[in-house]
Amino acid sequence: MRYLPHTQEDITAMLQVTGNKSLEDLFSGIPDSCRMTNEWQLPEPKTEWELNDHMQAIAQTMKVDQNFKVLIGAGSNHHHIPETVKALMSRSEFLTAYTPYQPEMAQGTLQGIFEYQTLTARLLGMDVVNASMYDGASAFAEALLMGLRIGKKKTKVAVSAAIHPHYRATAAAYLHPTEFELIELPYLEDGRTDLSGLSGLQDVAAVALQSPNFFGVIEDLAGAAQAIHEQQALFITCFSEPLAYGLLKNPGKCGADIVCGEGQSFGLARSFGGPGLGMFGCRQPFTRNLPGRLVGETKDLDGKRGYVLTLATREQHIRREKATSNICSNQGICAMTAGMYMASLGGTGLRELSRLNYDKAQYLKNALIARGARLFFEAPTFNEFVVEFPHDFQPAHQRLLEQGIVAGLELSKLYPELKGRYLFGITETTSRQDMDRVADEVQS
C-alpha cells in the first residue's frame, strides 16, 4: 500500500468529526512550558547531487572508515561474508525486517526462522531457541528478567564484571525501576570470574557469565554451572562471538540453563555498530518463560508440513499480566541472514573457521610477547586477548592509526583499573602482514 498524504479536505473533515477547529487544537493539552517555541533550525534544501556531496563530506570527517583494519573485538567483529549469503539475503522473498502480522500466510519466512532456530539450538546446545531479539545487550537483559520470573520470589541476579560493559549497562537500565537487585561478581587475576562469593548471597535467582568474556578469556562453564546450581540458582551464559562455539564445547553441554548473545558475526557487517542480532535459547522446562517469538513446525489438514507462531509472548498477543516480554518483533532479515550463514558453512566449515580465528590470534599474541609485551590474563583465550606493554604503547598506536590500522582498544574508559592495557581482536580477515606491522611497531 502506497503512502498517500492527507489533503486539506481530508484534514478538515477529520477535524469536524473530532470537534476541533485546527490541528493546533489537538495539542491543547500540552502545557506551554513543554512546547517548542523557536523556529526549526533546518538547513536550506539541497539538490540530490548536493546532498550526496554533503553526506560524503560528513563521512570523510570520521577518523576510522571502512578501509581501516580494526584489530579490536569488543563485541563487534569483522568476518568474511560468503557471496552466497549476500546474494540470498538480498532477494525480495527474504528481505523483510519484520515478522508478518499474518504469519501463517508467509510460510517461507516462517520456515527460514524455523531453520535459524534449529541451527542456533545445535550451536548453543539448547533445547529451544526463539526467533531472535534486537541485539546481544537486550537479549542479556531479557535473560536476567527471565531468570527472575522463573525464580519467582527471589529478587537478586549476579553478573560477572567480565561481561561486556554495554550488556551490563543495558541490564542495569532494565532493572533500575524495579525492586530487583543487580550484584556484580569480580574477575580474578587470570581473567575468569570469581564465584567464591556466591555462597554468601541470598535470594539469587540467576548468575550470569560470558564466555569468551569481554577480555577474550574462556570461562570454566562446567565448573561454574556446578557452583551456581549448588546455590539453587539458574545459570545464564552470554557471548559476543558465537563463532567460538565452533571450537569450544557449547554452553548447553556445560550445564547452562539460558544462553544469549550477539550474532553479528554470522553474516552481518559491522556497519559502525548495527544492526545486530540477539540470539536466545533455553532448556525445555523454561519454554513458557521465553521472551519474544517462537516458530514451530506442524501439519495442515492435508497432512502437509507447515509452520506457525507457536509462542508470541508480547502483551499484544496475550493477556498483559501473562506477557513475558515487550519485545514486539524479531530481527527478521538479520536472523534469516545468520541462518543462511550457518547453513553455508555447515558444522565442518564453522569448526575450521573457528580454528583459523584461534590460530591467527595466537600468532599475534606470540609475536607481541616476543617483543616484550606481557599477556595480562593467563587463562586460555579464543580470538581476543589483553596485553600490557613494557612502555607507553600510545605513540605506536598513533603511528599504526596513520597507516590505517586500529591496533587494540585501551581499556581504561571501560575498566579504570586496566589503564594502559589493550584488548586485541583477530579474525580470519586479519592478514599476517598487518599483524607483523603491529608487532614491529611495538619493537620500534
Side-chain angles (χ1 to χ4, degrees):
M1 178 178 176
R2 296 183 181 275
Y3 170 72
L4 300 175
H6 296 302
T7 65
Q8 187 57 50
E9 290 77 9
D10 294 332
I11 295 172
T12 300
M14 287 188 286
L15 288 174
Q16 288 175 350
V17 172
T18 60
N20 295 289
K21 294 180 179 180
S22 67
L23 289 175
E24 184 66 21
D25 291 344
L26 295 173
F27 306 102
S28 61
I30 302 176
D32 291 339
S33 60
C34 297
R35 295 192 182 198
M36 189 184 76
T37 57
N38 57 303
E39 295 293 326
W40 290 99
Q41 300 298 314
L42 296 176
E44 292 297 316
K46 297 178 182 294
T47 63
E48 182 177 338
W49 52 87
E50 287 175 334
L51 182 60
N52 286 336
D53 290 342
H54 176 65
M55 299 302 291
Q56 184 65 32
I58 292 175
Q60 290 176 349
T61 63
M62 299 190 67
K63 183 65 177 177
V64 177
D65 59 29
Q66 297 282 23
N67 295 318
F68 273 65
K69 311 294 180 60
V70 182
L71 276 61
I72 299 174
S76 182
N77 300 279
H78 179 47
H79 290 287
H80 172 69
I81 302 175
E83 290 300 321
T84 52
V85 173
K86 294 178 182 178
L88 285 172
M89 70 178 286
S90 64
R91 290 182 64 92
S92 59
E93 301 98 314
F94 303 124
L95 192 55
T96 173
Y98 203 77
T99 303
Y101 276 111
Q102 294 178 301
E104 284 68 38
M105 298 293 288
Q107 285 293 298
T109 298
L110 291 185
Q111 181 179 348
I113 295 174
F114 182 84
E115 291 180 1
Y116 157 79
Q117 291 175 176
T118 302
L119 293 168
T120 303
R122 291 175 181 172
L123 177 75
L124 303 180
M126 289 286 98
D127 300 324
V128 183
V129 166
N130 70 12
S132 77
M133 314 293 279
Y134 294 136
D135 56 21
S138 61
F140 175 65
E142 290 285 349
L144 296 182
L145 291 177
M146 180 177 171
L148 287 163
R149 286 195 300 273
I150 297 170
K152 295 183 179 179
K153 295 183 179 180
K154 295 181 179 180
T155 59
K156 299 175 184 177
V157 286
V159 302
S160 168
I163 290 176
H164 197 300
H166 296 170
Y167 292 16
R168 289 185 283 118
T170 303
Y174 267 59
L175 296 179
H176 177 71
T178 73
E179 71 277 15
F180 302 122
E181 182 181 355
L182 190 66
I183 300 170
E184 194 168 279
L185 302 174
Y187 56 85
L188 298 165
E189 290 186 359
D190 67 353
R192 287 176 168 167
T193 303
D194 184 2
L195 298 175
S196 61
L198 279 181
S199 58
L201 298 177
Q202 302 295 324
D203 295 326
V204 176
V207 180
L209 273 65
Q210 177 179 335
S211 184
N213 62 29
F214 186 73
F215 308 128
V217 169
I218 301 167
E219 297 272 6
D220 178 11
L221 295 184
Q226 182 177 352
I228 292 166
H229 289 151
E230 285 177 356
Q231 300 301 315
Q232 304 301 308
L234 291 176
F235 180 26
I236 298 173
T237 67
C238 68
F239 56 86
S240 60
E241 179 51 281
L243 188 64
Y245 299 126
L247 191 61
L248 307 177
K249 186 179 291 187
N250 64 50
K253 290 182 179 178
C254 295
D257 300 305
I258 302 171
V259 182
C260 61
E262 177 59 62
Q264 174 269 322
S265 289
F266 285 175
L268 303 174
R270 286 175 298 169
S271 301
F272 294 102
L277 167 67
M279 306 175 90
F280 198 110
C282 67
R283 297 199 179 279
Q284 185 70 38
F286 309 131
T287 304
R288 288 287 175 180
N289 284 282
L290 195 70
R293 293 173 171 180
L294 180 67
V295 175
E297 183 181 279
T298 186
K299 291 183 178 180
D300 64 13
L301 293 176
D302 298 323
K304 296 180 180 179
R305 181 171 58 180
Y307 300 92
V308 296
L309 271 185
T310 302
L311 287 178
T313 57
R314 187 185 179 224
E315 59 268 20
Q316 77 178 53
H317 299 109
I318 60 178
R319 291 196 304 275
R320 184 179 298 274
E321 66 274 12
K322 296 293 185 180
T324 61
S325 170
N326 67 352
I327 297 292
C328 64
S329 179
N330 65 287
Q331 289 290 74
I333 187 60
C334 295
M336 192 79 75
T337 301
M340 293 172 182
Y341 181 90
M342 288 185 279
S344 296
L345 266 66
T348 300
L350 201 66
R351 184 163 53 252
E352 291 177 353
L353 187 60
S354 299
R355 184 73 202 192
L356 184 58
N357 274 246
Y358 173 82
D359 288 344
K360 286 200 169 190
Q362 288 297 120
Y363 177 85
L364 179 59
K365 184 191 297 185
N366 292 335
L368 294 176
I369 292 173
R371 289 160 174 79
R374 181 178 77 88
L375 188 64
F376 193 74
F377 296 118
E378 294 295 336
T381 61
F382 177 58
N383 66 350
E384 297 175 75
F385 56 90
V386 177
V387 292
E388 180 180 25
F389 295 97
H391 47 74
D392 184 10
F393 182 64
Q394 191 55 41
H397 187 277
Q398 185 61 38
R399 291 194 299 272
L400 287 164
L401 196 62
E402 293 169 358
Q403 299 174 45
I405 298 177
V406 184
L409 172 68
E410 206 276 330
L411 292 172
S412 61
K413 289 185 178 180
L414 299 171
Y415 293 88
E417 70 276 16
L418 297 180
K419 182 177 176 59
R421 281 80 178 193
Y422 285 78
L423 174 69
F424 283 83
I426 304 300
T427 71
E428 75 281 2
T429 64
T430 311
S431 69
R432 180 170 180 169
Q433 179 184 7
D434 288 335
M435 290 189 284
D436 287 342
R437 287 167 68 185
V438 172
D440 291 340
E441 284 291 349
V442 172
Q443 200 170 34
S444 62

